[in-house]
């Protein structure tokens, strides 16, 4: 107030901001993880924390369930900080269906693969390949020779994501069938056809031609052929719906 003056000074030092860098944006398949690698700071804090092995380190492992944008804040020894981010995109796995475990009869074929088996543009790889008509089809035809045979399928989507499944094919044996030995009889007489045993318990029988048989559904019907020779055919169907056929020739000699 008496117009006298005095001066002083203060020094402000400006520290540069740290340069924080981390992974580039990336894509992974559902269920996979990403190793994050961040540099430029002395300490780090990630947000959000969901899916991270440790949100307070520079190199956590990220296993998000959905596409997630992670932001990391890095602080240097001067207390200055910088932020950066990385987006991890989650690609879905392909839809896959090998079909239902199935039993077939010896020598039969079966078409593998449910519907749908995978997305448009997907590729298919079936194993074992030896008994498949084409192991790269979505629905190959299989003719297994061993029981059980386990077929494995790997579907690769257009996003390079893969998923696998399997199907078990069991082979049922054919029923025992025996029409009997070819026989010669006299004209006007009858003969029982069909050997014993002709098939497993619970099997059904179908004989042809039926006109000269007393019952074409019996295991051992009575035949009274009117023509010579007459060939009788029998088809046996077991409880597994497997079938096998045989035949017998009946020759008729004229009476003296």
């Amino acid at each position: 107030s008496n117009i006298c003056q005095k001066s002083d000074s203060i020094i402000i030092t400006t520290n540069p901001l740290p340069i924080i860098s981390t992974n580039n944006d990336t894509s992974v398949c559902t269920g996979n993880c990403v190793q994050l690698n961040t540099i430029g700071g002395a300490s780090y804090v990630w947000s959000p924390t969901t899916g991270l092995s440790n949100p307070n380190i520079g190199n956590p492992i990220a296993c998000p369930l959905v596409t997630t944008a992670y932001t990391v804040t890095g602080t240097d020894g001067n207390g200055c900080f910088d932020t950066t981010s990385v987006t991890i995109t989650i690609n879905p796995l392909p839809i896959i269906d090998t079909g239902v475990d199935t039993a077939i009869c010896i020598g039969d074929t079966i078409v593998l693969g449910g519907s749908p088996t995978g997305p448009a543009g997907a590729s298919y790889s079936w194993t074992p390949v030896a008994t498949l008509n084409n192991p790269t089809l979505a629905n190959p035809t299989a003719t297994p020779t061993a029981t059980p045979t386990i077929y494995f399928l790997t579907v690769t989507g257009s996003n390079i994501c893969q998923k696998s499944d399997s199907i078990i094919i069991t082979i049922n044996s054919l029923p025992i069938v025996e029409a009997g030995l070819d026989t010669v009889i006299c004209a006007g007489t009858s003969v029982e056809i069909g050997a014993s045993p002709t098939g497993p318990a619970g099997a059904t029988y179908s004989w042809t031609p039926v006109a000269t048989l007393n019952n074409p559904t019996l295991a051992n019907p009575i035949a009274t052929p009117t023509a010579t020779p007459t060939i009788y055919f029998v088809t046996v169907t077991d409880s597994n719906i497997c079938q096998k056929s045989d035949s017998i020739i009946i020759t008729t000699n004229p009476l003296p």
Side-chain angles (χ1 to χ4, degrees):
S1 60
N2 54 15
I3 318 300
C4 295
Q5 294 182 333
K6 190 175 182 183
S7 298
D8 196 8
S9 64
I10 182 174
I11 299 174
I12 305 296
T13 301
T14 304
N15 292 317
L17 296 178
I19 300 174
I20 305 299
S21 61
T22 189
N23 303 54
N24 293 326
D25 294 344
T26 188
S27 298
V28 296
C29 301
T30 299
N32 289 349
C33 300
V34 176
Q35 174 73 65
L36 299 177
N37 293 287
T38 307
I39 59 174
S43 63
Y44 304 92
V45 176
W46 290 86
S47 177
T49 61
T50 304
L52 295 179
S53 60
N54 188 337
N56 298 308
I57 59 176
N59 58 342
I61 296 175
C63 304
L65 299 178
V66 296
T67 297
T68 302
Y70 289 104
T71 298
V72 59
T73 299
T75 304
D76 64 14
N78 297 315
C80 298
F81 61 88
D82 186 27
T83 61
T84 189
S85 63
V86 55
T87 299
I88 300 176
T89 301
I90 303 299
N91 290 325
L93 300 180
I95 298 170
I96 181 172
D97 183 8
T98 53
V100 179
D101 294 344
T102 306
I104 63 173
C105 303
I106 291 176
D108 285 353
T109 61
I110 183 172
V111 176
L112 304 178
S115 180
T117 52
S123 62
Y124 304 86
S125 177
W126 289 87
T127 59
V129 303
T131 54
L132 297 174
N133 68 325
N134 188 335
T136 64
L137 295 178
N139 300 97
T141 298
T143 310
T145 56
T147 187
T149 295
I150 304 177
Y151 291 100
F152 297 90
L153 169 63
T154 298
V155 178
T156 303
S158 56
N159 56 13
I160 317 300
C161 293
Q162 291 184 333
K163 192 174 181 182
S164 297
D165 195 10
S166 64
I167 181 174
I168 301 173
I169 305 298
T170 302
I171 302 176
N172 290 325
S173 59
L174 300 181
I176 299 170
V177 58
E178 178 60 68
L181 298 175
D182 295 343
T183 304
V184 178
I185 63 174
C186 296
T189 61
S190 301
V191 63
E192 182 181 90
I193 56 178
S196 182
T198 52
T204 60
Y205 304 86
S206 177
W207 289 87
T208 58
V210 302
T212 54
L213 297 173
N214 68 325
N215 189 334
T217 64
L218 295 178
N220 301 96
I222 302 299
T224 310
T226 56
T228 188
T230 296
I231 305 175
Y232 291 98
F233 298 90
V234 61
T235 297
V236 178
T237 305
D238 64 16
S239 57
N240 295 317
I241 319 300
C242 293
Q243 293 183 332
K244 191 175 181 182
S245 298
D246 195 18
S247 63
I248 181 174
I249 300 174
I250 304 297
T251 303
T252 304
N253 286 331
L255 298 177

PDB file of all heavy atoms in Angstrom, residues 159-179:
ATOM      1  N   ASN A 159     -15.721 -68.610 -40.747  1.00  0.00           N
ATOM      2  CA  ASN A 159     -14.905 -67.782 -39.848  1.00  0.00           C
ATOM      3  C   ASN A 159     -13.764 -68.588 -39.225  1.00  0.00           C
ATOM      4  O   ASN A 159     -13.137 -68.148 -38.263  1.00  0.00           O
ATOM      5  CB  ASN A 159     -15.776 -67.169 -38.747  1.00  0.00           C
ATOM      6  CG  ASN A 159     -16.548 -68.230 -37.965  1.00  0.00           C
ATOM      7  OD1 ASN A 159     -16.270 -69.419 -38.060  1.00  0.00           O
ATOM      8  ND2 ASN A 159     -17.524 -67.801 -37.177  1.00  0.00           N
ATOM      9  N   ILE A 160     -13.523 -69.811 -39.753  1.00  0.00           N
ATOM     10  CA  ILE A 160     -12.434 -70.705 -39.344  1.00  0.00           C
ATOM     11  C   ILE A 160     -12.680 -71.314 -37.958  1.00  0.00           C
ATOM     12  O   ILE A 160     -11.809 -71.939 -37.372  1.00  0.00           O
ATOM     13  CB  ILE A 160     -11.043 -70.001 -39.378  1.00  0.00           C
ATOM     14  CG1 ILE A 160     -10.932 -69.153 -40.647  1.00  0.00           C
ATOM     15  CG2 ILE A 160      -9.922 -71.010 -39.373  1.00  0.00           C
ATOM     16  CD1 ILE A 160     -11.052 -69.938 -41.938  1.00  0.00           C
ATOM     17  N   CYS A 161     -13.844 -71.088 -37.386  1.00  0.00           N
ATOM     18  CA  CYS A 161     -14.164 -71.729 -36.117  1.00  0.00           C
ATOM     19  C   CYS A 161     -14.604 -73.172 -36.372  1.00  0.00           C
ATOM     20  O   CYS A 161     -15.297 -73.454 -37.356  1.00  0.00           O
ATOM     21  CB  CYS A 161     -15.263 -70.961 -35.381  1.00  0.00           C
ATOM     22  SG  CYS A 161     -14.728 -69.323 -34.817  1.00  0.00           S
ATOM     23  N   GLN A 162     -14.206 -74.066 -35.463  1.00  0.00           N
ATOM     24  CA  GLN A 162     -14.474 -75.487 -35.635  1.00  0.00           C
ATOM     25  C   GLN A 162     -15.255 -76.055 -34.465  1.00  0.00           C
ATOM     26  O   GLN A 162     -15.152 -75.573 -33.332  1.00  0.00           O
ATOM     27  CB  GLN A 162     -13.166 -76.277 -35.772  1.00  0.00           C
ATOM     28  CG  GLN A 162     -12.399 -76.025 -37.049  1.00  0.00           C
ATOM     29  CD  GLN A 162     -11.174 -76.911 -37.153  1.00  0.00           C
ATOM     30  OE1 GLN A 162     -10.608 -77.336 -36.147  1.00  0.00           O
ATOM     31  NE2 GLN A 162     -10.758 -77.216 -38.372  1.00  0.00           N
ATOM     32  N   LYS A 163     -16.035 -77.096 -34.769  1.00  0.00           N
ATOM     33  CA  LYS A 163     -16.732 -77.840 -33.732  1.00  0.00           C
ATOM     34  C   LYS A 163     -16.829 -79.288 -34.192  1.00  0.00           C
ATOM     35  O   LYS A 163     -16.959 -79.560 -35.385  1.00  0.00           O
ATOM     36  CB  LYS A 163     -18.129 -77.263 -33.481  1.00  0.00           C
ATOM     37  CG  LYS A 163     -18.791 -77.808 -32.222  1.00  0.00           C
ATOM     38  CD  LYS A 163     -20.113 -77.096 -31.950  1.00  0.00           C
ATOM     39  CE  LYS A 163     -20.763 -77.616 -30.679  1.00  0.00           C
ATOM     40  NZ  LYS A 163     -22.075 -76.955 -30.428  1.00  0.00           N
ATOM     41  N   SER A 164     -16.773 -80.224 -33.230  1.00  0.00           N
ATOM     42  CA  SER A 164     -16.774 -81.650 -33.569  1.00  0.00           C
ATOM     43  C   SER A 164     -17.899 -82.380 -32.855  1.00  0.00           C
ATOM     44  O   SER A 164     -18.404 -81.937 -31.820  1.00  0.00           O
ATOM     45  CB  SER A 164     -15.425 -82.292 -33.208  1.00  0.00           C
ATOM     46  OG  SER A 164     -14.371 -81.717 -33.952  1.00  0.00           O
ATOM     47  N   ASP A 165     -18.305 -83.495 -33.442  1.00  0.00           N
ATOM     48  CA  ASP A 165     -19.324 -84.364 -32.862  1.00  0.00           C
ATOM     49  C   ASP A 165     -19.082 -85.771 -33.393  1.00  0.00           C
ATOM     50  O   ASP A 165     -18.260 -85.979 -34.294  1.00  0.00           O
ATOM     51  CB  ASP A 165     -20.722 -83.864 -33.239  1.00  0.00           C
ATOM     52  CG  ASP A 165     -21.824 -84.499 -32.389  1.00  0.00           C
ATOM     53  OD1 ASP A 165     -21.495 -85.170 -31.392  1.00  0.00           O
ATOM     54  OD2 ASP A 165     -23.007 -84.329 -32.724  1.00  0.00           O
ATOM     55  N   SER A 166     -19.793 -86.754 -32.855  1.00  0.00           N
ATOM     56  CA  SER A 166     -19.611 -88.138 -33.288  1.00  0.00           C
ATOM     57  C   SER A 166     -20.935 -88.865 -33.288  1.00  0.00           C
ATOM     58  O   SER A 166     -21.921 -88.425 -32.679  1.00  0.00           O
ATOM     59  CB  SER A 166     -18.606 -88.863 -32.381  1.00  0.00           C
ATOM     60  OG  SER A 166     -19.107 -88.953 -31.055  1.00  0.00           O
ATOM     61  N   ILE A 167     -20.964 -90.004 -33.983  1.00  0.00           N
ATOM     62  CA  ILE A 167     -22.141 -90.868 -34.033  1.00  0.00           C
ATOM     63  C   ILE A 167     -21.663 -92.316 -33.987  1.00  0.00           C
ATOM     64  O   ILE A 167     -20.638 -92.663 -34.581  1.00  0.00           O
ATOM     65  CB  ILE A 167     -22.985 -90.602 -35.307  1.00  0.00           C
ATOM     66  CG1 ILE A 167     -24.226 -91.493 -35.326  1.00  0.00           C
ATOM     67  CG2 ILE A 167     -22.166 -90.789 -36.566  1.00  0.00           C
ATOM     68  CD1 ILE A 167     -25.174 -91.183 -36.482  1.00  0.00           C
ATOM     69  N   ILE A 168     -22.400 -93.145 -33.251  1.00  0.00           N
ATOM     70  CA  ILE A 168     -22.055 -94.561 -33.120  1.00  0.00           C
ATOM     71  C   ILE A 168     -23.023 -95.376 -33.975  1.00  0.00           C
ATOM     72  O   ILE A 168     -24.238 -95.282 -33.810  1.00  0.00           O
ATOM     73  CB  ILE A 168     -22.128 -95.024 -31.658  1.00  0.00           C
ATOM     74  CG1 ILE A 168     -21.168 -94.206 -30.793  1.00  0.00           C
ATOM     75  CG2 ILE A 168     -21.812 -96.514 -31.547  1.00  0.00           C
ATOM     76  CD1 ILE A 168     -21.299 -94.496 -29.304  1.00  0.00           C
ATOM     77  N   ILE A 169     -22.472 -96.193 -34.868  1.00  0.00           N
ATOM     78  CA  ILE A 169     -23.268 -97.090 -35.699  1.00  0.00           C
ATOM     79  C   ILE A 169     -22.997 -98.526 -35.253  1.00  0.00           C
ATOM     80  O   ILE A 169     -21.855 -98.995 -35.295  1.00  0.00           O
ATOM     81  CB  ILE A 169     -22.944 -96.936 -37.195  1.00  0.00           C
ATOM     82  CG1 ILE A 169     -23.098 -95.471 -37.630  1.00  0.00           C
ATOM     83  CG2 ILE A 169     -23.832 -97.852 -38.024  1.00  0.00           C
ATOM     84  CD1 ILE A 169     -24.494 -94.928 -37.470  1.00  0.00           C
ATOM     85  N   THR A 170     -24.059 -99.191 -34.811  1.00  0.00           N
ATOM     86  CA  THR A 170     -23.965-100.591 -34.388  1.00  0.00           C
ATOM     87  C   THR A 170     -24.506-101.479 -35.506  1.00  0.00           C
ATOM     88  O   THR A 170     -25.525-101.157 -36.127  1.00  0.00           O
ATOM     89  CB  THR A 170     -24.779-100.821 -33.108  1.00  0.00           C
ATOM     90  OG1 THR A 170     -24.298 -99.939 -32.090  1.00  0.00           O
ATOM     91  CG2 THR A 170     -24.643-102.259 -32.621  1.00  0.00           C
ATOM     92  N   ILE A 171     -23.813-102.578 -35.760  1.00  0.00           N
ATOM     93  CA  ILE A 171     -24.224-103.496 -36.829  1.00  0.00           C
ATOM     94  C   ILE A 171     -24.854-104.736 -36.211  1.00  0.00           C
ATOM     95  O   ILE A 171     -24.228-105.433 -35.400  1.00  0.00           O
ATOM     96  CB  ILE A 171     -23.032-103.898 -37.704  1.00  0.00           C
ATOM     97  CG1 ILE A 171     -22.374-102.655 -38.306  1.00  0.00           C
ATOM     98  CG2 ILE A 171     -23.480-104.857 -38.801  1.00  0.00           C
ATOM     99  CD1 ILE A 171     -21.135-102.954 -39.106  1.00  0.00           C
ATOM    100  N   ASN A 172     -26.097-104.997 -36.582  1.00  0.00           N
ATOM    101  CA  ASN A 172     -26.791-106.205 -36.124  1.00  0.00           C
ATOM    102  C   ASN A 172     -26.601-107.324 -37.139  1.00  0.00           C
ATOM    103  O   ASN A 172     -26.638-107.096 -38.356  1.00  0.00           O
ATOM    104  CB  ASN A 172     -28.284-105.928 -35.947  1.00  0.00           C
ATOM    105  CG  ASN A 172     -28.569-105.011 -34.774  1.00  0.00           C
ATOM    106  OD1 ASN A 172     -27.889-105.069 -33.745  1.00  0.00           O
ATOM    107  ND2 ASN A 172     -29.565-104.148 -34.910  1.00  0.00           N
ATOM    108  N   SER A 173     -26.404-108.542 -36.627  1.00  0.00           N
ATOM    109  CA  SER A 173     -26.224-109.694 -37.506  1.00  0.00           C
ATOM    110  C   SER A 173     -27.542-110.061 -38.171  1.00  0.00           C
ATOM    111  O   SER A 173     -28.627-109.720 -37.682  1.00  0.00           O
ATOM    112  CB  SER A 173     -25.682-110.883 -36.724  1.00  0.00           C
ATOM    113  OG  SER A 173     -26.571-111.221 -35.675  1.00  0.00           O
ATOM    114  N   LEU A 174     -27.461-110.763 -39.303  1.00  0.00           N
ATOM    115  CA  LEU A 174     -28.652-111.214 -40.006  1.00  0.00           C
ATOM    116  C   LEU A 174     -29.211-112.460 -39.321  1.00  0.00           C
ATOM    117  O   LEU A 174     -28.469-113.234 -38.701  1.00  0.00           O
ATOM    118  CB  LEU A 174     -28.322-111.522 -41.471  1.00  0.00           C
ATOM    119  CG  LEU A 174     -27.782-110.354 -42.296  1.00  0.00           C
ATOM    120  CD1 LEU A 174     -27.517-110.808 -43.728  1.00  0.00           C
ATOM    121  CD2 LEU A 174     -28.744-109.177 -42.284  1.00  0.00           C
ATOM    122  N   PRO A 175     -30.504-112.678 -39.428  1.00  0.00           N
ATOM    123  CA  PRO A 175     -31.079-113.872 -38.801  1.00  0.00           C
ATOM    124  C   PRO A 175     -30.621-115.155 -39.513  1.00  0.00           C
ATOM    125  O   PRO A 175     -30.240-115.128 -40.688  1.00  0.00           O
ATOM    126  CB  PRO A 175     -32.582-113.658 -38.977  1.00  0.00           C
ATOM    127  CG  PRO A 175     -32.703-112.781 -40.177  1.00  0.00           C
ATOM    128  CD  PRO A 175     -31.512-111.870 -40.117  1.00  0.00           C
ATOM    129  N   ILE A 176     -30.660-116.254 -38.768  1.00  0.00           N
ATOM    130  CA  ILE A 176     -30.393-117.559 -39.371  1.00  0.00           C
ATOM    131  C   ILE A 176     -31.619-117.966 -40.172  1.00  0.00           C
ATOM    132  O   ILE A 176     -32.748-117.898 -39.694  1.00  0.00           O
ATOM    133  CB  ILE A 176     -30.103-118.617 -38.292  1.00  0.00           C
ATOM    134  CG1 ILE A 176     -28.862-118.223 -37.491  1.00  0.00           C
ATOM    135  CG2 ILE A 176     -29.942-119.994 -38.898  1.00  0.00           C
ATOM    136  CD1 ILE A 176     -28.642-119.079 -36.275  1.00  0.00           C
ATOM    137  N   VAL A 177     -31.408-118.391 -41.415  1.00  0.00           N
ATOM    138  CA  VAL A 177     -32.531-118.818 -42.249  1.00  0.00           C
ATOM    139  C   VAL A 177     -32.108-120.048 -43.049  1.00  0.00           C
ATOM    140  O   VAL A 177     -31.003-120.103 -43.583  1.00  0.00           O
ATOM    141  CB  VAL A 177     -33.002-117.684 -43.187  1.00  0.00           C
ATOM    142  CG1 VAL A 177     -31.893-117.197 -44.080  1.00  0.00           C
ATOM    143  CG2 VAL A 177     -34.202-118.118 -44.018  1.00  0.00           C
ATOM    144  N   GLU A 178     -32.989-121.014 -43.099  1.00  0.00           N
ATOM    145  CA  GLU A 178     -32.719-122.247 -43.842  1.00  0.00           C
ATOM    146  C   GLU A 178     -34.037-122.807 -44.356  1.00  0.00           C
ATOM    147  O   GLU A 178     -34.888-123.238 -43.580  1.00  0.00           O
ATOM    148  CB  GLU A 178     -32.025-123.273 -42.939  1.00  0.00           C
ATOM    149  CG  GLU A 178     -31.750-124.596 -43.618  1.00  0.00           C
ATOM    150  CD  GLU A 178     -30.841-124.439 -44.828  1.00  0.00           C
ATOM    151  OE1 GLU A 178     -29.657-124.112 -44.636  1.00  0.00           O
ATOM    152  OE2 GLU A 178     -31.351-124.614 -45.945  1.00  0.00           O
ATOM    153  N   ALA A 179     -34.211-122.724 -45.659  1.00  0.00           N
ATOM    154  CA  ALA A 179     -35.454-123.219 -46.254  1.00  0.00           C
ATOM    155  C   ALA A 179     -35.519-124.740 -46.283  1.00  0.00           C
ATOM    156  O   ALA A 179     -36.586-125.317 -46.478  1.00  0.00           O
ATOM    157  CB  ALA A 179     -35.622-122.665 -47.667  1.00  0.00           C
TER     158      ALA A 179
END
